[in-house]
Amino acid sequence: FLLSLKLENKTGGKIQKQICQVVLDHFDKQYTVELGDVWTSIRHVLTYPLCWQYAILLNKFSQSPELESTLHVKGYQPAFQGSLPYLPASLKCYIRRTPGRFPAQKHQAGKLKEYYLLNAASLLPVLALEVKDGEDVLDLCAAPGGKSVAILQCAHPGQFHCNEYDDLRSRWLKQTIESFIPYPLINLMTITKLDGRQIGDLKPELYDKVLVDAPCSNDRSWLFSSDIQQAKLRLIERKELSSLQFQLLRSAIKALRPGGSLVYSTCTLSKAENSDVINLVLNSCSNVMPVDISEMAQAVSQEFTCLNGMQQHELLVLPEKGRAWGPMYVAKLKKM
């Protein structure tokens, strides 16, 4: 562990990735309209990876006594210091204001990792979901597995079903689970490769909580598409994503028990994939209602910058210098 810390400073010397101009032009056109002047500062963060920050989620199943003190020495502080409606003591995440990446731990069969590196904003859907011990939980689009790992840091579900349709991403999910979760607990989990659009029909009203971290136009990674043709294809397919997201949400609602709740999240700024999808669900599904998450949004305002003017059941984290978290859209619904 201590040897790996020596690698941290080397990351600063990496060659900066090349921006894909086709994608940037597309984003400039769309987000200037949707976000106005705010887009300028977001654009600067997204196009400059050296200012990105990484959070460190500790693994309660593999605790290292020296890790927390090492993090303090390196300037890391516990995240989520506001008074959140839901923040289990077992969920420990560390962040710092300055950029730089803590060394990742390699996957070793039979050995649990001590921490998971992630964008701190990606924990907000988990905090919004408010999983309690014994509840039956579905993570509908679970790869690469960070949110599944975070859910298990928070609570001990009754049934925990992690699903990922894509073959490559499904293998990634399994490796993540094996790296962070001990075997007695893994044996209580179900990992599947089902089409998320069909799960509601296959498993109707089976879950208390459902997380739909939907496939989306990932603004951060798309900006650095190395293959121009693939980037152009992505931008064409982008128009179809909202339809897929809507179908996944409809399926998730079917899979929920009455009284159960659902959290929808993406890592894009796109209104078409965020608010528009949720509004369509609310207008077309009479058995769901929005859940107010404004208290959580207010509580995390020290760490995150959120877009003003959002409805009470949603939030959108905007990356800015010194708080380079997001994009992360979160919305919460309840089944009647």
Side-chain angles (χ1 to χ4, degrees):
F1 167 75
L2 288 173
L3 284 172
S4 67
L5 292 180
K6 294 176 183 175
L7 300 173
E8 182 183 24
N9 294 328
K10 293 185 181 178
T11 59
K14 283 186 179 176
I15 298 168
Q16 192 172 350
K17 296 181 280 188
Q18 290 296 306
I19 292 165
C20 181
Q21 194 62 44
V22 174
V23 176
L24 183 58
D25 291 346
H26 181 89
F27 284 0
D28 279 338
K29 189 176 177 182
Q30 178 181 348
Y31 294 146
T32 301
V33 173
E34 291 184 10
L35 299 166
D37 294 340
V38 180
W39 168 238
T40 307
S41 58
I42 297 170
R43 184 187 195 274
H44 174 73
V45 173
L46 292 182
T47 55
Y48 188 57
L50 293 180
C51 77
W52 294 2
Q53 294 156 274
Y54 295 86
I56 298 165
L57 176 66
L58 303 194
N59 185 12
K60 71 178 183 182
F61 304 111
S62 175
Q63 291 183 333
S64 160
E66 75 218 26
L67 178 56
E68 286 189 79
S69 57
T70 301
L71 290 172
H72 282 299
V73 168
K74 290 188 166 289
Y76 285 87
Q77 298 293 329
F80 313 117
Q81 298 197 37
S83 181
L84 274 81
Y86 172 86
L87 183 63
S90 55
L91 181 78
K92 291 187 176 181
C93 178
Y94 281 82
I95 60 174
R96 69 177 180 184
R97 288 277 173 158
T98 52
R101 187 167 186 160
F102 206 67
Q105 293 181 314
K106 287 184 179 178
H107 173 73
Q108 291 178 270
K111 186 176 181 184
L112 296 181
K113 293 184 180 182
E114 296 168 358
Y115 56 87
Y116 188 96
L117 299 181
L118 76 172
N119 185 320
S122 65
L123 290 176
L124 295 181
V126 174
L127 294 175
L129 197 61
E130 300 188 31
V131 176
K132 297 177 178 63
D133 289 347
E135 289 183 325
D136 297 327
V137 180
L138 168 63
D139 189 348
L140 191 71
C141 314
K147 293 179 181 67
S148 298
V149 168
I151 286 169
L152 290 169
Q153 303 302 313
C154 293
H156 196 304
Q159 293 182 63
F160 191 24
H161 180 180
C162 298
N163 181 71
E164 178 54 54
Y165 183 52
D166 181 83
D167 189 57
L168 182 65
R169 288 173 62 81
S170 179
R171 291 201 294 273
W172 191 2
L173 169 66
K174 285 180 181 175
Q175 188 177 93
T176 301
I177 297 297
E178 287 170 7
S179 291
F180 288 92
I181 310 303
Y183 259 97
L185 191 51
I186 285 182
N187 293 339
L188 299 174
M189 298 172 66
T190 305
I191 301 176
T192 59
K193 293 198 317 184
L194 300 168
D195 185 337
R197 294 169 293 186
Q198 297 171 3
I199 282 183
D201 292 322
L202 295 170
K203 300 180 181 293
E205 299 193 351
L206 206 62
Y207 304 100
D208 302 299
K209 303 279 169 72
V210 178
L211 174 63
V212 183
D213 185 42
C216 67
S217 48
N218 185 323
D219 294 351
R220 281 188 187 234
S221 66
W222 281 26
L223 272 169
F224 298 95
S225 303
S226 54
D227 185 330
I228 299 289
Q229 293 309 117
Q230 184 195 43
K232 288 179 178 176
L233 188 61
R234 278 176 169 173
L235 293 176
I236 293 167
E237 292 173 345
R238 190 179 202 208
K239 297 169 187 172
E240 309 300 322
L241 279 169
S242 57
S243 174
L244 169 63
Q245 291 154 351
F246 176 71
Q247 291 174 66
L248 290 170
L249 277 168
R250 288 288 297 265
S251 177
I253 291 163
K254 288 181 183 177
L256 263 183
R257 292 183 179 128
S261 53
L262 174 157
V263 168
Y264 173 75
S265 60
T266 74
C267 49
T268 180
L269 298 161
S270 175
K271 182 173 174 285
E273 297 174 54
N274 295 338
S275 298
D276 289 356
V277 174
I278 291 296
N279 289 337
L280 184 59
V281 168
L282 289 170
N283 290 332
S284 61
C285 302
S286 58
N287 61 339
V288 291
M289 62 176 289
V291 178
D292 188 347
I293 58 169
S294 58
E295 189 182 344
M296 183 185 84
Q298 180 60 37
V300 299
S301 60
Q302 288 180 322
E303 287 97 355
F304 304 107
T305 302
C306 293
L307 181 65
N308 292 325
M310 301 295 280
Q311 297 178 86
Q312 289 186 320
H313 59 273
E314 59 180 356
L315 64 86
L316 177 61
V317 176
L318 307 175
E320 68 171 30
K321 197 172 181 182
R323 300 201 286 186
W325 313 113
M328 180 58 58
Y329 175 80
V330 183
K332 187 169 184 179
L333 307 174
K334 183 176 181 177
K335 186 172 181 177
M336 305 307 291

